[in-house]
Amino acid sequence: MIIDCRLRPPARGFLNLSLFRDTERTKRMSRCFGMPQAPSTAQRSTELLLKEMDSAGITMGVVPGRRAYPFLGGVSNEDIVAIMNDYPGRFLGVAGIDPTNRQEALDEIDTYVKNGPLVGVGMEPGLLPTPMYPNDRRIYPIYEKLEAEGIPLLLMAGGGNGPDLSYGFPAILDQIAADFPKMTIINTHGGYPYVTEVLFVAYKRPNIYICPDMYLFNFPGWQDYVTAANGFLQDRFLFGTAYPFIPLEEGVAHFKNMPFKPEVLPKLLYKNIATALKLDLPENL
C-alpha cells in the first residue's frame, strides 16, 4: 500500500490551476527534477491518473484545497468533496483555507472537517494575494482551534511558499510547533532548501511530520532527508510526489531505490501518514 501525501489531480477546480493551465511550464518543472511528464498531466486526464496510480501501487492520494494568488489559482473545498465522491476510496481531501478571512476559515473547518468528510486543513499563507508568514499572530486563533479539535495541519513551509525564502525559514515552523505542541503539523515541501535546519526542528518537535515531496527527487540535500528517515524521523517522514510535478510510476520507483532501510519503507509509504491523518487502516497491511 502507498499513500501519496500531496497529489493534485486534473479534475474540477484543479484544471484551472497554473499546474494544468500551462502543462508546458509544468513539464519544464518536472525536468528540473530529472523526471518526464506523466501522460495524465499532458492530457489533463483523471482517468489516466487513476491508471498511473494503479501501476505505481498508489492506493490513495492526499488532495489539498488551495487558496492562493490569481496566477496559481484556487480550488474550493466543495470541489475537493466532489472529487472524493467522483472517485470513491482514491482520494483523501484536505480543506484549503484563507487565514486572512478568519471567521470564514473557522466556519469551513467546522463544515468540511469537523462535521464533514475531509481529513485535515491545509494552508499556504505565503501564497495569498497579500502574503503572510505562517507564524503571523492573526493565524493563531486558527491554530488554537486545530489543536483543540485534534485536526492535523498541512502547512506549506518550504520551496516557493512565499515571495522570498524568508517565508520558509525553519525557525518559523519551530515557533509554531512550540506554541501548539499538541497540533500535528505536516510540513509539505519539507522546509526546502533549509534541509538540515528543518530536520533539526523536527528532531526537537515531535508534533512535526516532514514531507519533502518533489524536493526529494534528484535535488541537493536528498541524502540528509534519507538519513533522517532511516533514523530519528522514521515515524514522521512521509512519501509524496507533489504530482503533477513528479510522475507517479517514476516517483515510486525512484523512492524505493533510494537507500532507505527496508524495515522503514512501510512507515514512509503509508503508515506514518495514516497516523498523522488518523486514518482507520487494517492492522494487517
Side-chain angles (χ1 to χ4, degrees), residues 19 57 80 106-108 137 164 222 234 236 243 273 276:
L19 301 170
I80 300 299
L106 294 171
D107 290 344
E108 289 201 309
R137 288 306 188 272
D164 60 59
W222 67 266
Q234 65 182 270
R236 291 181 288 124
Y243 172 93
I273 189 62

Side-chain angles (χ1 to χ4, degrees), residues 63-95:
V63 178
R66 165 161 273 181
R67 302 293 179 86
Y69 62 88
F71 172 77
L72 291 179
V75 182
S76 71
N77 294 322
E78 291 93 339
D79 274 4
I80 300 299
V81 173
I83 289 169
M84 292 175 64
N85 291 333
D86 291 341
Y87 307 99
R90 301 312 306 264
F91 299 113
L92 298 160
V94 170

Side-chain angles (χ1 to χ4, degrees), residues 174-216:
D174 187 29
Q175 183 179 33
I176 297 168
D179 289 343
F180 300 95
K182 295 182 180 179
M183 178 175 66
T184 295
I185 303 170
I186 297 170
N187 174 212
T188 59
H189 282 349
Y192 201 86
Y194 303 106
V195 179
T196 54
E197 292 87 348
V198 79
L199 290 174
F200 183 70
V201 170
Y203 167 76
K204 289 173 58 184
R205 309 294 179 193
N207 54 326
I208 293 177
Y209 288 72
I210 297 293
C211 179
D213 48 74
M214 61 192 191
Y215 293 103
L216 187 65

Side-chain angles (χ1 to χ4, degrees), residues 30-80:
S30 297
R31 286 174 179 165
C32 289
F33 298 96
M35 292 287 180
Q37 184 172 72
S40 60
T41 303
Q43 298 182 41
R44 295 159 41 106
S45 168
T46 304
E47 297 306 321
L48 270 180
L49 170 65
L50 293 174
K51 292 178 181 178
E52 291 166 4
M53 289 174 68
D54 291 341
S55 295
I58 295 175
T59 309
M60 291 182 284
V62 178
V63 178
R66 165 161 273 181
R67 302 293 179 86
Y69 62 88
F71 172 77
L72 291 179
V75 182
S76 71
N77 294 322
E78 291 93 339
D79 274 4
I80 300 299

Side-chain angles (χ1 to χ4, degrees), residues 1-4 7 48-59 90 239 241 246-253 256 269:
M1 183 177 194
I2 301 174
I3 299 175
D4 189 330
L7 187 155
L48 270 180
L49 170 65
L50 293 174
K51 292 178 181 178
E52 291 166 4
M53 289 174 68
D54 291 341
S55 295
I58 295 175
T59 309
R90 301 312 306 264
F239 166 78
T241 61
I246 303 298
L248 302 184
E249 293 181 62
E250 290 85 352
V252 168
K256 288 183 174 180
L269 290 171

